[in-house]
């Protein structure tokens, strides 16, 4: 078996739907060449040591997958027969623990769990045959993670070098009510092309994710600074010096001298307490001014910048009279108090969005979970072009 840490192979970096453009931007900025881009990720040709760098630096990704083998498999037996030939004893320590994830569309498989069991059986049988010991397996992603991608008769088996998803950035110990996933929050900020220096204002901030991600982006603080366990650490051949060297690099990249004005407000003092705790864990509490107030009383610095709302958007059908008033008030507030800013409203409800009463100059498409959403951009001109 080739030594995966130094041997290039196909690598797939996955992301949530519609985040691919932002993931591509990040991957290119790290100096990697993208072979192929698609709606939920990108394809590269790299070693597992390269995957270490990706895991520590990417904000918008979900998993970094390194391909071990691709083959034809029409049914579970063929799948097993191909997998049992892989030298798993050179990849997974016999005294370790592993888990299996999968994405399966094959007519012989009614539940992905059955495919997972077949993968697990092949790995365990091979290691037991070679080492005389069975490794433990289960549903946790804290050690070795193996991923099966099986579409019709084509199967691919990957090392999931990430383990727990990269889309969560590790600081949100207190999620609060209906939080925005960190990878999505970062992507929406990237969409605004905020410069990281001018003010970033986030009224109705909830658990503070947007404000915290803005602070982390501004100071170039990478997600790897928040995390000390990845799946790649548990495979045979892992050299911890490669990880610590990359970690030293991202520590050096972080620039604590960049101090933008970031204001996060919410009418709920409990939400602000949660946001403060999350910001403290992320190491950026000192960068954010937290305010307990109605959004219309949020402090707006004069020099202009980005102001972003992520209001509730009432997922259930029915009357939204209270939310309609809120959206109208957001529009009035942007128009009257935020001249010279670029305004943004993230919403999954186009009917409510109409109540803002301003003409959007751009619309960025996102999903929040399975909900089709838009980030609406408003140019809030200072002076005669006022909407």
């Amino acid at each position: 078996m080739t030594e995966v840490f130094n041997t290039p192979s196909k690598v797939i970096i996955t992301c949530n739907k519609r985040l691919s453009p932002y993931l591509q931007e990040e991957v290119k900025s790290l100096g990697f060449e993208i072979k192929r881009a698609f709606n939920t990720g990108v394809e590269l040709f790299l070693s597992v040591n390269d995957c270490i760098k990706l895991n520590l630096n990417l904000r918008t990704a979900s998993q970094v997958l390194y391909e071990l083998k691709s083959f034809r498999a029409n049914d579970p037996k063929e799948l097993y027969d191909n997998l049992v030939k892989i030298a798993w004893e050179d990849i997974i320590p016999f005294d370790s623990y592993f888990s299996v994830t999968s994405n399966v569309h094959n007519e012989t498989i009614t539940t992905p769990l059955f495919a997972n069991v077949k993968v697990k059986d092949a790995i365990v049988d091979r290691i037991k045959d070679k080492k005389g010991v069975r490794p433990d397996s289960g549903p946790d992603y804290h050690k070795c993670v193996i991923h099966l991608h099986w579409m019709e008769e084509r199967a691919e088996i990957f090392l999931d070098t990430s383990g727990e998803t990269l889309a969560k950035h590790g600081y949100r110990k207190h999620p609060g009510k209906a939080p925005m996933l960190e990878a999505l929050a970062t992507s929406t900020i990237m969409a605004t092309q905020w410069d990281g220096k001018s003010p970033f204002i986030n009224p109705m901030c909830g658990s503070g994710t947007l404000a915290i991600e803005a602070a982390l982006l501004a100071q170039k603080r990478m997600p790897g600074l928040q995390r000390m366990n990845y799946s790649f650490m548990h495979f045979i051949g892992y050299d911890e010096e490669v990880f610590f060297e990359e970690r030293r690099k991202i520590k050096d990249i972080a620039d604590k001298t960049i101090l933008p004005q970031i204001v996060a407000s919410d009418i709920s003092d409990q939400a602000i307490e949660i946001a403060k705790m999350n910001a403290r864990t992320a190491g950026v509490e000192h960068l954010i001014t937290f305010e307990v107030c109605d959004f219309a009383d949020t402090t707006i610095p004069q020099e202009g910048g980005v102001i972003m709302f992520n209001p509730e958007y009432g997922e259930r059908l029915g009357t939204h009279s209270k939310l309609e008033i809120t959206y109208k008030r957001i529009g009035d507030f942007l128009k009257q108090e935020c001249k010279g800013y670029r305004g943004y409203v993230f919403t999954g409800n186009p009917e409510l969005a109409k109540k803002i009463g301003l003409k959007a100059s751009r619309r960025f498409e996102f999903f929040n979970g399975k909900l089709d959403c838009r980030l609406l951009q408003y140019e809030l001109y200072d002076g005669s072009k006022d909407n």
Side-chain angles (χ1 to χ4, degrees):
M1 182 75 197
T2 51
E3 206 274 291
V4 296
F5 280 88
N6 295 302
T7 307
S9 180
K10 176 175 163 179
V11 167
I12 299 287
I13 310 171
T14 66
C15 63
N16 285 0
K17 273 185 182 175
R18 294 182 177 162
L19 301 193
S20 182
Y22 311 99
L23 174 61
Q24 290 171 52
E25 198 178 311
E26 284 196 289
V27 170
K28 285 174 186 168
S29 74
L30 293 170
F32 292 111
E33 184 190 343
I34 295 170
K35 302 286 182 191
R36 180 172 68 94
F38 47 100
N39 195 23
T40 54
V42 296
E43 178 186 322
L44 304 91
F45 188 73
L46 301 171
S47 69
V48 174
N49 277 338
D50 293 319
C51 293
I52 293 177
K53 180 173 183 172
L54 292 165
N55 275 288
L56 270 65
N57 283 276
L58 294 175
R59 303 172 197 271
T60 61
S62 297
Q63 316 294 142
V64 180
L65 308 171
Y66 173 93
E67 187 187 75
L68 286 176
K69 188 178 180 183
S70 65
F71 50 88
R72 284 175 66 89
N74 289 297
D75 54 46
K77 184 183 181 305
E78 250 188 291
L79 180 75
Y80 175 92
D81 290 346
N82 275 284
L83 291 176
V84 84
K85 291 175 191 165
I86 295 173
W88 294 106
E89 69 278 8
D90 295 337
I91 300 169
I92 297 173
F94 64 83
D95 56 352
S96 186
Y97 172 101
F98 73 94
S99 56
V100 178
T101 61
S102 64
N103 183 3
V104 177
H105 291 281
N106 178 283
E107 61 184 15
T108 67
I109 300 291
T110 51
T111 165
L113 291 176
F114 182 62
N116 291 7
V117 168
K118 279 293 173 193
V119 176
K120 188 195 82 167
D121 288 349
I123 295 171
V124 168
D125 291 351
R126 170 80 190 207
I127 294 174
K128 187 166 187 290
D129 180 52
K130 298 293 178 185
K131 299 289 185 183
V133 185
R134 295 169 62 90
D136 280 341
S137 64
D140 296 327
Y141 303 150
H142 64 289
K143 288 205 173 172
C144 301
V145 181
I146 305 298
H147 180 74
L148 170 69
H149 189 264
W150 188 10
M151 298 289 134
E152 308 308 336
E153 79 288 348
R154 178 176 162 73
E156 294 173 279
I157 196 79
F158 294 89
L159 303 185
D160 179 344
T161 67
S162 307
E164 294 289 349
T165 181
L166 301 175
K168 295 178 180 176
H169 295 166
Y171 59 78
R172 211 161 67 183
K173 311 300 181 194
H174 310 276
K177 188 178 156 193
M180 188 187 247
L181 187 68
E182 292 94 305
L184 174 60
T186 293
S187 299
T188 61
I189 297 166
M190 288 172 73
T192 72
Q193 298 189 314
W194 178 55
D195 61 8
K197 297 181 179 71
S198 58
F200 183 90
I201 316 301
N202 179 212
M204 306 173 86
C205 70
S207 56
T209 308
L210 279 165
I212 293 167
E213 289 297 327
L216 293 168
L217 276 165
Q219 289 203 335
K220 302 180 177 68
R221 293 172 62 90
M222 301 304 181
L225 292 172
Q226 290 293 129
R227 182 165 165 178
M228 289 299 288
N229 185 44
Y230 297 86
S231 177
F232 61 71
M233 295 175 164
H234 304 281
F235 293 113
I236 292 169
Y238 165 63
D239 178 358
E240 68 174 19
E241 190 45 45
V242 177
F243 168 72
F244 283 111
E245 177 59 27
E246 188 55 41
R247 206 164 186 278
R248 278 192 288 274
K249 282 182 188 167
I250 63 174
K251 246 183 168 169
D252 291 343
I253 288 167
D255 188 347
K256 292 181 179 177
T257 64
I258 299 171
L259 302 167
Q261 261 190 294
I262 299 175
V263 181
S265 71
D266 202 283
I267 202 162
S268 159
D269 51 3
Q270 186 188 4
I272 290 295
E273 277 311 304
I274 288 169
K276 280 182 180 176
M277 285 189 279
N278 290 335
R280 197 172 306 139
T281 306
V284 295
E285 187 188 14
H286 64 293
L287 285 173
I288 305 169
T289 302
F290 289 102
E291 300 178 344
V292 179
C293 63
D294 180 82
F295 73 79
D297 298 321
T298 305
T299 301
I300 308 295
Q302 284 192 335
E303 56 265 43
V306 164
I307 179 164
M308 191 187 292
F309 283 84
N310 176 26
E312 286 183 46
Y313 30 88
E315 292 175 40
R316 291 182 183 84
L317 294 171
T319 56
H320 294 292
S321 51
K322 218 172 157 186
L323 282 175
E324 284 178 8
I325 293 164
T326 301
Y327 274 67
K328 184 184 183 306
R329 287 184 62 223
I330 288 170
D332 292 344
F333 175 68
L334 287 171
K335 185 174 163 182
Q336 291 156 18
E337 307 298 332
C338 305
K339 289 173 182 151
Y341 275 75
R342 279 200 317 281
Y344 295 87
V345 178
F346 184 88
T347 182
N349 192 319
E351 289 308 308
L352 285 173
K354 290 174 186 171
K355 303 296 176 187
I356 294 167
L358 298 173
K359 189 174 176 1
S361 58
R362 290 192 72 180
R363 289 176 165 79
F364 302 90
E365 295 184 347
F366 289 99
F367 278 108
N368 191 358
K370 291 184 176 174
L371 204 62
D372 189 11
C373 294
R374 297 291 180 273
L375 178 67
L376 305 169
Q377 176 177 308
Y378 302 99
E379 306 297 337
L380 308 168
Y381 296 108
D382 198 355
S384 61
K385 285 187 179 174
D386 187 9
N387 281 309

